[in-house]
C-alpha cells in the first residue's frame, strides 16, 4: 500500500458511516417526491464531480421512471423547459448549498422555495442536499 491509495473508511469509522446511512434513510422517509430527490442528488453530484455518485443517481432516477432526456439536460436546467418551477426552485437551492458563495441571497431562494414547498418539505430538501454533499465528499476523497 502506498500513501496515495484510497482509504476504506468502513474499516476505520464503521459506526459513523452507519449513522450516515441511517440519516439518509430518515431523509428518504420524508414527504419529498422521490423523483425530485433524485434530481437534487444528481445535480449536487455533478457539481461536486463525483463520478461514482453521478452514475449511481442517474441509474436510480432512470429506474424510478425519470426520463433520459431530462437527466441529460439537468446541467442546463435554467435554460430548458423540462423542469417545473418547483423543481427549478429546489435545484437553485441545491446549487446554492453546494457551491457556497458569500454573495448568495438565501432569503430570495428560500422565498421561491416557500412558494412551492412547505417548511417541512424545505427541511427535507435542505437535509437531502447536505447529505449528498457529505457522501460526495467522502467518495471524492478517494478519487
Amino acid at each position: 500500500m502506498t500513501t496515495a491509495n484510497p482509504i476504506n473508511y468502513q474499516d476505520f469509522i464503521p459506526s459513523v458511516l452507519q449513522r450516515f446511512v441511517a440519516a439518509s434513510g430518515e431523509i428518504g422517509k420524508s414527504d419529498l417526491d422521490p423523483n425530485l430527490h433524485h434530481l437534487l442528488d444528481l445535480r449536487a453530484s455533478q457539481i461536486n464531480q463525483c463520478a461514482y455518485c453521478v452514475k449511481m443517481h442517474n441509474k436510480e432516477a432512470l429506474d424510478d421512471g425519470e426520463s433520459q432526456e431530462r437527466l441529460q439536460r439537468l446541467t442546463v436546467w435554467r435554460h430548458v423547459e423540462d423542469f417545473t418551477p418547483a423543481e427549478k426552485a429546489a435545484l437553485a437551492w441545491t446549487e446554492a448549498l453546494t457551491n457556497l458563495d458569500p454573495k448568495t441571497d438565501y432569503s430570495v431562494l428560500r422565498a421561491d422555495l416557500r412558494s412551492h414547498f412547505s417548511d417541512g418539505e424545505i427541511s427535507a430538501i435542505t437535509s437531502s442536499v447536505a447529505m449528498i454533499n457529505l457522501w460526495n465528499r467522502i467518495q471524492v476523497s478517494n478519487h
Side-chain angles (χ1 to χ4, degrees):
M1 180 166 90
T2 70
T3 56
N5 284 351
I7 296 168
N8 184 349
Y9 294 107
Q10 185 61 36
D11 289 347
F12 300 101
I13 55 166
S15 64
V16 172
L17 295 180
Q18 289 167 358
R19 287 180 176 93
F20 292 167
V21 169
S24 293
E26 288 300 311
I27 294 166
K29 293 178 187 175
S30 74
D31 291 336
L32 188 60
D33 180 287
N35 287 330
L36 178 61
H37 189 221
H38 291 311
L39 292 175
L40 304 183
D41 282 352
L42 182 55
R43 184 65 191 122
S45 297
Q46 290 170 337
I47 292 166
N48 289 323
Q49 300 181 45
C50 182
Y52 176 86
C53 298
V54 166
K55 181 178 179 180
M56 177 179 66
H57 294 302
N58 192 65
K59 181 183 180 327
E60 289 173 349
L62 289 169
D63 289 348
D64 281 348
E66 185 57 75
S67 76
Q68 183 66 38
E69 291 77 20
R70 279 178 25 115
L71 295 177
Q72 288 171 343
R73 291 189 287 272
L74 183 58
T75 60
V76 294
W77 62 268
R78 283 183 176 85
H79 308 288
V80 296
E81 299 301 320
D82 298 285
F83 302 96
T84 67
E87 289 169 332
K88 287 184 175 190
L91 288 165
W93 188 248
T94 299
E95 289 186 359
L97 295 180
T98 301
N99 287 322
L100 299 177
D101 180 347
K103 295 179 217 133
T104 299
D105 187 347
Y106 293 97
S107 64
V108 170
L109 296 173
R110 198 170 32 257
D112 193 22
L113 279 172
R114 279 192 168 135
S115 70
H116 303 285
F117 301 101
S118 69
D119 282 3
E121 290 168 319
I122 294 169
S123 297
I125 289 168
T126 303
S127 298
S128 177
V129 172
M131 186 57 64
I132 190 55
N133 276 287
L134 182 148
W135 285 120
N136 288 163
R137 281 152 178 76
I138 289 173
Q139 188 62 36
V140 167
S141 74
N142 276 326
H143 280 185

